[in-house]
Amino acid sequence: MYKQTKTILRGSRADGAAYASPVEYWVPFTLDGCGFHDADWRKNWSNTAYLKEGSLGCVNMKPSEAANVFNNLSQSEPVVIY
């Protein structure tokens, strides 16, 4: 949809608690707030992390890799979710 740097993501967790998470890179792909962003709070980056430490619908990016991903995404680029 668009690309933005240095913003604050705001929303509600599954338990209803509000959150405000500062991120360096943000690229939304849905109208209701899902997108690509860096996640410096995430420590588990294993290929099974989603089983117990998933996101609220976003694609979390390692902070060390986020700039590269951000720079390679284009506005209006299709995102396929399955």
Side-chain angles (χ1 to χ4, degrees):
M1 294 171 46
Y2 61 89
K3 294 167 66 171
Q4 186 175 9
T5 57
K6 299 192 184 291
T7 191
I8 299 176
L9 305 180
R10 299 177 192 279
S12 299
R13 300 186 192 290
D15 65 3
Y19 67 84
S21 300
V23 296
E24 292 294 315
Y25 302 100
W26 171 236
V27 184
F29 53 75
T30 69
L31 294 174
D32 61 350
C34 292
F36 297 91
H37 64 78
D38 51 301
D40 64 357
W41 56 89
R42 180 175 288 283
K43 303 303 177 214
N44 182 356
W45 293 100
S46 73
N47 62 357
T48 58
Y50 70 94
L51 294 172
K52 294 186 178 179
E53 300 176 54
S55 74
L56 297 170
C58 287
V59 176
N60 293 173
M61 301 184 295
K62 289 182 180 179
S64 62
E65 299 172 1
N68 187 44
V69 174
F70 181 86
N71 290 329
N72 282 286
L73 289 170
S74 300
Q75 182 173 346
S76 301
E77 184 170 349
V79 174
V80 178
I81 302 167
Y82 62 95

